[in-house]
Amino acid sequence: MSEEVKTTFPISWQPMLFSDAVVGISTNKKKINQKQYLESGNYPVFDQGNNHIGGYTNDPDKIIYCDFPVIIFGDHTRAVKIAKEPFAAGADGVKVLQPKTFILPKLLRYFTIYLAISIKDKGYARHYQWVAKEEIGVPPENEQHRIVAKIEELFSELDKGIESLKRAREQLKVYRQALLKHAFEGKLTEQWRKDNADKLETADQLLARIKQAREDRYQEQLEDWKTMVKQWEADGKEDKRPIKPKGEKELPPISEEEISELPLLPKSWCWIRPQDVSSYEPYSIGIGPFGSNLKVSDYSDFGVPLVFVKNITRNNFTDELKYISEKKYLSLIPHTVKPLDILVTKMGDPPGDAEIYPEDRPIAVITADCLKFRIWSKFSSREYFKHCINSVLIKKQLGLITKGVAQKKISAGRFKTLLFPLPPIEEQKEIAYNIDSNMEELIRLEIDLKENLQRSEALRQSILKKAFSGQLVAQDPNDEPASVLLERIAAEKTQAAAQRKKPRANKKKPVMKKAG
């Protein structure tokens, strides 16, 4: 037995290799490819996936008939199931194991689950070869029934608790989205607006200030350009003529049709596009470089860090990082990430998980599945727009503009067509503050639920471990030892085999005498 699952069994148990407790049932020429699965049919298909049934088939030639129940073991995934009726096997990694008569199928299934989670995970390699070599103990027959009954009793209580925890987790998700929905429809700060009505500028006034600031910034750049041109001319026009700055393209007005299906906003709010509040700097809204411009071979262990989707979804920009050289970075400057940029995932169902790149991190480069949105912080709240992107309001819009065949993604161009609700700047900050305050409590509750779920799964494994080692129920000295049970079963099989081989007695036909 391996050191991973080394166990001492009670004296009344009979140790043996797992492989000696089962008979392998061949699935040769009876496997069904996943593409052939039906959503419903006459026969279930058992594969190595996590779902109890992978699909269905109506093909009678693919059906496995044997003495049921049998154990289904996922050779790659270590999933363990039990089949109680004729079925078809999935095409890859399915082992069909028929328990021998001296051990209850339900008990052997629980033992198999314990072994599957106890042996070392070999990745996508095959695992049954390791399970087959493990030693198990066969309990006395009466004790087998007691163990199964106790496991089912404890698991039933455990499953009820886990179901309650999962319901609570789903309720938190609903509450989170309800909070965001109310925030971006103006309901969260309704009283705050009333209390501050005489102190606030409207969103239209805010937009006018932003537009004027953009125009002022453009005029500054234009004057700088004129100065550089004069100097260029004075130097004899030896180098290239300085490039004239381009003014921003005027965005088309938002039509009534575009907002017809969006929620009504407070009077002091308005709808905007991302570019309305983006930084005046170049490339303030952009995506990562295409694969040909940034390849795995460019990665290194130091230099300028890269930002991947996992960094955004996990809100972790410090661990397990990849880097590129300073030289490679110079060719990817349009994809630069600065501290406090909003980063968005371009893919998902729907896409659009958003997080703010931390203030204490160095400049980085986003990869192909990421998008950056640099807010003009003088006029807008980053936290407000981050939460807005994470809300159903924006995720619904992202779902509609996501394109692709094998993998759907959003482009920078389509991101710029989104419609955001814009409150006055002070109200943006108030909304972000309220959301963050509530989110802190939600995150704490989510962590508690996650830890409780992990403890529940650990308790399940502890129950299986006790069952496997004979510590779950008390041994009864009146039980027939398992060794006697195996000897009796072996003797019965020998007797039955001998009976089948016993020759039949020859019976002579009576001789008929002729009449005299």
Side-chain angles (χ1 to χ4, degrees):
M1 180 176 244
S2 77
E3 292 300 319
E4 293 177 294
V5 201
K6 186 67 176 176
T7 304
T8 301
F9 302 110
I11 194 169
S12 60
W13 289 30
Q14 178 63 50
M16 66 173 60
L17 291 179
F18 181 91
S19 58
D20 291 334
V22 296
V23 175
I25 303 298
S26 174
T27 59
N28 189 32
K29 297 183 179 179
K30 290 183 177 291
K31 296 180 180 179
I32 292 186
N33 192 287
Q34 192 172 19
K35 293 180 180 179
Q36 298 172 312
Y37 290 5
L38 303 177
E39 291 186 5
S40 61
N42 296 329
Y43 305 98
V45 178
F46 282 91
D47 58 20
Q48 63 172 343
N50 290 324
N51 293 330
H52 183 64
I53 293 174
Y56 293 87
T57 182
N58 291 326
D59 187 349
D61 295 331
K62 299 292 186 182
I63 306 308
I64 295 172
Y65 295 93
C66 54
D67 292 333
F68 292 99
V70 293
I71 293 170
I72 312 295
F73 182 81
D75 212 359
H76 298 298
T77 63
R78 298 184 292 168
V80 181
K81 308 171 187 179
I82 195 162
K84 301 178 181 179
E85 57 186 358
F87 68 96
D92 186 36
V94 174
K95 294 287 184 182
V96 180
L97 309 170
Q98 187 174 68
K100 291 186 177 178
T101 55
F102 52 75
I103 188 165
L104 294 177
K106 281 186 177 181
L107 182 62
L108 188 59
R109 174 175 175 259
Y110 289 130
F111 284 1
T112 309
I113 293 171
Y114 172 70
L115 290 174
I117 60 180
S118 299
I119 63 173
K120 186 176 180 180
D121 185 357
K122 312 293 182 181
Y124 200 69
R126 295 186 178 273
H127 292 83
Y128 179 67
Q129 59 180 317
W130 306 103
V131 172
K133 297 174 184 176
E134 293 295 341
E135 191 175 55
I136 67 169
V138 178
E141 187 173 12
N142 289 338
E143 189 176 346
Q144 291 185 36
H145 288 281
R146 295 199 302 273
I147 293 172
V148 169
K150 189 64 176 178
I151 290 174
E152 291 180 342
E153 175 192 344
L154 294 173
F155 276 14
S156 177
E157 295 174 3
L158 192 58
D159 288 340
K160 289 178 183 176
I162 290 174
E163 185 59 33
S164 296
L165 291 171
K166 288 181 176 179
R167 279 200 305 271
R169 187 173 61 183
E170 292 304 312
Q171 287 168 355
L172 284 181
K173 290 180 182 178
V174 171
Y175 177 77
R176 180 194 292 266
Q177 283 304 328
L179 172 68
L180 295 177
K181 183 175 184 292
H182 286 165
F184 300 111
E185 290 178 359
K187 295 175 183 177
L188 191 63
T189 47
E190 187 171 5
Q191 185 58 48
W192 184 89
R193 275 195 308 280
K194 292 177 181 178
D195 295 341
N196 294 274
D198 58 336
K199 306 171 187 175
L200 299 176
E201 68 175 347
T202 65
D204 288 332
Q205 291 170 333
L206 173 60
L207 276 181
R209 283 203 299 126
I210 296 174
K211 185 176 180 180
Q212 185 59 53
R214 290 185 185 281
E215 179 60 27
D216 292 345
R217 181 70 62 85
Y218 173 66
Q219 292 301 325
E220 289 175 10
Q221 291 179 341
L222 200 59
E223 290 302 317
D224 290 342
W225 171 76
K226 290 177 180 177
T227 301
M228 287 188 290
V229 169
K230 288 180 180 179
Q231 186 62 48
W232 172 74
E233 291 173 341
D235 293 339
K237 302 181 181 180
E238 292 183 359
D239 298 322
K240 289 184 179 180
R241 179 185 175 90
I243 299 174
K244 183 178 181 180
K246 294 181 179 179
E248 288 188 326
K249 291 182 179 179
E250 191 74 23
L251 294 172
I254 297 171
S255 67
E256 289 294 329
E257 183 181 356
E258 287 180 283
I259 62 174
S260 61
E261 296 184 8
L262 296 174
L264 291 174
L265 299 180
K267 290 182 179 179
S268 57
W269 294 26
C270 69
W271 292 104
I272 61 160
R273 301 192 195 278
Q275 191 172 320
D276 288 317
V277 291
S278 65
S279 166
Y280 192 78
E281 303 167 74
Y283 316 116
S284 58
I285 299 176
I287 60 175
F290 293 110
S292 59
N293 295 325
L294 177 61
K295 303 182 288 293
V296 174
S297 57
D298 294 319
Y299 299 171
S300 64
D301 295 328
F302 55 89
V304 178
L306 294 169
V307 173
F308 294 85
V309 166
K310 66 180 181 181
N311 300 117
I312 300 171
T313 56
R314 298 174 188 173
N315 189 17
N316 187 333
F317 300 92
T318 59
D319 297 336
E320 300 179 19
L321 298 182
K322 298 293 183 184
Y323 300 83
I324 55 174
S325 67
E326 292 285 346
K327 181 179 179 181
K328 183 64 182 178
Y329 165 69
L330 293 175
S331 68
L332 298 174
I333 286 178
H335 312 289
T336 296
V337 175
K338 293 183 178 180
L340 301 180
D341 280 352
I342 298 174
L343 302 179
V344 186
T345 60
K346 285 171 50 184
M347 51 191 288
D349 187 23
D353 290 334
E355 194 49 73
I356 295 175
Y357 188 59
E359 190 171 10
D360 60 352
R361 297 300 299 155
I363 60 169
V365 168
I366 51 173
T367 51
D369 294 329
C370 306
L371 181 146
K372 67 175 176 180
F373 179 21
R374 188 171 298 156
I375 294 291
W376 200 343
S377 58
K378 180 179 178 181
F379 302 101
S380 305
S381 162
R382 300 181 186 89
E383 289 77 12
Y384 171 86
F385 282 95
K386 179 198 77 172
H387 289 310
C388 195
I389 293 170
N390 284 325
S391 72
V392 171
L393 174 64
I394 298 301
K395 284 191 179 293
K396 279 185 177 179
Q397 294 184 56
L398 287 171
L400 294 174
I401 64 174
T402 304
K403 305 294 182 182
V405 180
Q407 215 172 39
K408 293 187 176 182
K409 299 181 180 182
I410 54 175
S411 66
R414 288 191 290 270
F415 182 84
K416 291 177 181 179
T417 67
L418 295 175
L419 295 178
F420 285 83
L422 182 72
I425 179 64
E426 293 304 322
E427 191 169 358
Q428 291 178 40
K429 295 176 181 178
E430 181 67 17
I431 290 170
Y433 172 78
N434 275 280
I435 292 175
D436 286 337
S437 299
N438 282 277
M439 286 297 182
E440 284 181 11
E441 179 64 14
L442 286 177
I443 291 170
R444 186 188 66 77
L445 291 171
E446 286 172 348
I447 291 172
D448 287 345
L449 287 172
K450 182 179 179 180
E451 290 176 348
N452 284 329
L453 283 167
Q454 289 172 342
R455 280 193 286 268
S456 296
E457 288 305 319
L459 178 57
R460 188 188 300 277
Q461 294 180 23
S462 175
I463 292 169
L464 291 175
K465 182 177 181 180
K466 287 182 177 180
F468 187 83
S469 59
Q471 301 175 48
L472 190 63
V473 299
Q475 275 77 50
D476 188 338
N478 296 317
D479 286 343
E480 176 186 68
S483 58
V484 177
L485 169 65
L486 267 66
E487 288 171 2
R488 189 177 70 252
I489 291 174
E492 290 172 355
K493 285 185 176 180
T494 301
Q495 184 179 2
Q499 190 68 31
R500 287 194 297 271
K501 293 180 180 179
K502 188 176 180 180
R504 294 182 180 179
N506 292 326
K507 293 183 179 180
K508 294 183 179 181
K509 292 182 180 180
V511 179
M512 300 296 292
K513 293 183 179 180
K514 293 182 180 179

